[in-house]
Amino acid sequence: SLPHLRLTLPDASMESHRKLGEAMGSHFAEGTRLRLQEWSELQEQWLPALKTSAGRGLYEGFLKVHTEAYPEYTEELRGLAIGAKVP
């Protein structure tokens, strides 16, 4: 059987999107951390690129565009990272 998560959120505010992400991140923390550790492209290419000014600039531009286009989704992802205790 697949794992399940049952939540009741009172509204669709940015705070509730973050709280949803935190709950999901906490519930699926072990799998999330394992997936990120085993993701070779992330570990070997993307994270090292973030340590360069060019890579950081690309990332910040990407994040800005997507936060403006999908603010609720990016807030959920922030919450997921907080809940799973990953950067």
Side-chain angles (χ1 to χ4, degrees):
S1 140
L2 294 173
H4 65 279
L5 179 64
R6 188 169 309 191
L7 296 172
T8 302
L9 298 173
D11 57 47
S13 69
M14 292 300 275
E15 181 182 8
S16 69
H17 285 278
R18 182 183 41 75
K19 286 182 178 183
L20 171 63
E22 286 180 24
M24 289 173 37
S26 178
H27 188 80
F28 297 107
E30 183 179 341
T32 300
R33 287 191 294 266
L34 183 62
R35 174 68 178 114
L36 293 176
Q37 289 170 359
E38 293 178 349
W39 189 357
S40 61
E41 187 176 21
L42 174 69
Q43 297 298 328
E44 297 167 9
Q45 295 176 22
W46 297 354
L47 292 179
L50 285 176
K51 295 178 182 175
T52 69
S53 59
R56 190 52 147 174
L58 284 171
Y59 169 76
E60 288 174 2
F62 175 89
L63 183 59
K64 181 178 185 291
V65 165
H66 287 81
T67 299
E68 289 172 0
Y70 310 104
E72 296 90 357
Y73 181 64
T74 53
E75 196 61 21
E76 271 183 39
L77 290 175
R78 284 187 183 102
L80 192 140
I82 291 166
K85 295 181 174 50
V86 297

